[in-house]
């Protein structure tokens, strides 16, 4: 069945050729998401995508439509190629959002190309100098929202303030957190700790306290996983290092746990008793649980996933995109920045 925007739900455009493993996990994830109620536009080589869909029984009756895109920007190519390669899958997918034929774009492919395409095609929310990549990291009691995690290695202090506002609105309208707290990542919790840039950003964030954000103050790296604040803002270079460090450490820790639980007959028996609990913990630590990260600050919903993403990650990314659309995230972000510009705190 063809995805029908007139039926009440705009579909999500998926760059179905993006990622390290090509179309297979993208189509598999799209089928799973469609069975969960998300309409999907699969963007890529028409023949290849129809062939993949044919491997899934009953897919012909799902709200999935294939949109042909003859080109793909590979992971080793330049992000700037999106300017001239208008037939690339990510370019076509982003254009579907601009034209109102899709509510969001999701890509597990070239992250730089996705960011470039979103900026060129969708533009920025008025009042936002640079969009940021927003992600969730598992933490005590739930998760901590971290941004930027890779879009901007070189930043200005004003970016931090804008990202704090963006993340605050996001958590309020999508995650139902009434008054999320904001922490500024630094080398100490004291106000005077940090680089000149961090000190300047601290002053801007402090001035915004009560004017649309709830600023906690400085936080340290350990606070991200202690869930000291709901949101942590930092530059894209540091944020990306934190993200990759967390993912790498999780894999190592679970490797150690497996070794410990298989080291003797007694430990193997103990492993049987804790298997269920460990499975739940592993799911919380798995990046595919969150699916993809939001490029927040552009005038449209754009989600960027891991190149190594599996079908589960693709499915969860599509579900997350649909949820953000249903929460009217983009209009709410634009309204918040418009109110801030007029000198009133967002409602």
């Amino acid at each position: 069945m063809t995805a029908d925007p007139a039926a009440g739900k705009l579909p999500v455009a998926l760059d179905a050729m993006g990622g390290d493993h090509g179309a297979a996990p993208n189509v598999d994830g799209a089928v799973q998401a469609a069975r969960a109620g998300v309409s999907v536009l699969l963007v890529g080589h028409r023949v290849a995508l129809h062939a993949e869909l044919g491997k899934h029984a009953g897919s012909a009756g799902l709200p999935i439509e294939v949109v042909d895109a003859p080109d793909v920007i590979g992971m080793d190519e330049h992000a700037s190629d999106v300017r001239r390669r208008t037939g690339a899958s990510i370019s076509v997918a982003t254009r579907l959002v601009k034209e109102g034929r899709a509510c969001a774009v999701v890509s597990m492919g070239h992250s730089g190309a996705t960011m470039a395409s979103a900026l060129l095609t969708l533009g920025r929310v008025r009042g936002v100098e640079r969009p940021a990549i927003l992600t969730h990291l598992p933490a005590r009691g739930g998760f901590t929202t971290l941004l930027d995690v890779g879009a901007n290695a070189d930043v200005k202090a004003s970016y931090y303030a804008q990202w704090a506002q963006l993340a605050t609105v996001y958590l309020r309208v999508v995650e139902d957190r009434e008054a999320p707290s904001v922490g500024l990542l630094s080398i100490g919790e004291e106000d005077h700790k940090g680089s000149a840039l961090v000190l300047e950003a601290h002053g801007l964030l402090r001035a915004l306290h009560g004017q649309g954000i709830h600023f906690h103050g400085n936080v340290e790296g350990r606070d991200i996983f202690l869930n000291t604040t709901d949101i942590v803002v930092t530059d894209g270079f540091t944020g990306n290092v934190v993200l990759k460090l967390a993912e790498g450490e999780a894999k190592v820790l679970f490797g150690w746990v497996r070794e410990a639980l298989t080291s003797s007959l007694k430990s193997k028996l103990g492993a049987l008793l804790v298997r269920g609990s460990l499975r739940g913990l592993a799911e919380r630590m798995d990046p595919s649980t969150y699916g993809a990260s939001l490029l927040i600050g552009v005038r449209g919903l754009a989600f960027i996933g891991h190149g190594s993403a599996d079908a589960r990650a693709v499915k969860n990314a599509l579900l997350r995109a649909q949820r953000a659309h249903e929460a009217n995230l983009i209009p709410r972000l634009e309204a918040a920045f418009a109110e801030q510009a007029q000198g009133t705190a967002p409602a």
Side-chain angles (χ1 to χ4, degrees):
M1 184 175 75
T2 297
D4 182 8
K9 276 189 179 181
L10 277 176
V12 178
L14 173 64
D15 174 10
M17 309 306 294
D20 298 337
H21 308 298
N26 285 305
V27 172
D28 190 354
V31 168
Q32 292 181 37
R35 286 176 175 152
V38 179
S39 297
V40 183
L41 296 178
L42 288 175
V43 183
H45 296 306
R46 185 185 300 276
V47 174
L49 293 179
H50 277 298
E52 283 296 331
L53 278 171
K55 299 176 183 178
H56 298 272
S59 62
L62 295 173
I64 297 176
E65 179 183 350
V66 173
V67 177
D68 190 44
D71 188 15
V72 180
I73 296 179
M75 302 294 272
D76 58 346
E77 295 184 278
H78 293 292
S80 59
D81 285 356
V82 296
R83 290 182 178 272
R84 58 182 179 81
R85 294 168 64 177
T86 57
S89 54
I90 184 57
S91 300
V92 174
T94 308
R95 205 155 54 240
L96 291 169
V97 178
K98 178 69 172 179
E99 294 169 354
R101 296 168 57 192
C103 67
V105 57
V106 172
S107 178
M108 304 297 170
H110 196 308
S111 59
T114 303
M115 288 187 286
S117 183
L119 267 172
L120 287 168
T121 307
L122 304 175
R124 292 172 284 119
V125 169
R126 187 180 295 275
V128 175
E129 294 174 83
R130 291 287 301 176
I133 300 177
L134 176 152
T135 197
H136 298 319
L137 288 177
R140 185 174 64 186
F143 63 84
T144 297
T145 297
L146 177 68
L147 71 168
D148 180 22
V149 294
N152 305 275
D154 299 306
V155 304
K156 297 192 296 186
S158 56
Y159 296 1
Y160 291 89
Q162 293 160 20
W163 296 342
Q165 292 173 278
L166 290 167
T168 294
V169 175
Y170 170 82
L171 286 184
R172 282 174 46 222
V173 305
V174 178
E175 302 294 344
D176 296 320
R177 298 208 180 176
E178 185 58 36
S181 55
V182 177
L184 174 63
L185 190 61
S186 188
I187 56 172
E189 62 183 21
E190 298 85 359
D191 291 358
H192 64 275
K193 291 287 185 70
S195 64
L197 176 65
V198 167
L199 293 176
E200 184 182 355
H202 188 282
L204 294 176
L205 289 165
R206 182 65 69 191
L208 282 175
H209 180 69
Q211 302 296 319
I213 72 167
H214 178 71
F215 183 51
H216 168 87
N218 286 352
V219 294
E220 298 178 80
R222 63 190 175 201
D223 291 302
I224 296 172
F225 305 103
L226 293 174
N227 202 209
T228 301
T229 59
D230 298 295
I231 300 161
V232 173
V233 292
T234 187
D235 64 272
F237 183 93
T238 305
N240 192 266
V241 171
V242 169
L243 176 63
K244 300 295 175 56
L245 175 64
E247 292 174 349
E249 182 68 3
K251 289 181 181 179
V252 171
L253 285 173
F254 272 99
W256 289 343
V257 170
R258 280 194 298 269
E259 290 176 6
L261 292 176
T262 57
S263 60
S264 67
L265 178 60
K266 184 182 295 186
S267 62
K268 289 178 181 178
L269 291 174
L272 292 175
L273 298 176
V274 299
R275 184 170 55 184
S277 297
L278 286 176
R279 187 178 295 116
L281 179 59
E283 182 172 338
R284 284 187 62 194
M285 300 291 287
D286 187 351
S288 66
T289 300
Y290 301 101
S293 300
L294 172 64
L295 180 63
I296 195 165
V298 294
R299 295 191 66 204
L301 295 172
F303 289 83
I304 302 170
H306 279 284
S308 60
D310 57 13
R312 180 169 177 264
V314 175
K315 171 197 171 185
N316 287 335
L318 292 167
L319 291 172
R320 190 175 172 197
Q322 182 65 49
R323 190 153 54 97
H325 170 64
E326 292 175 349
N328 293 315
L329 177 60
I330 299 302
R332 297 289 290 275
L333 290 174
E334 292 182 317
F337 273 80
E339 291 171 359
Q340 188 69 43
Q342 294 168 6
T344 58

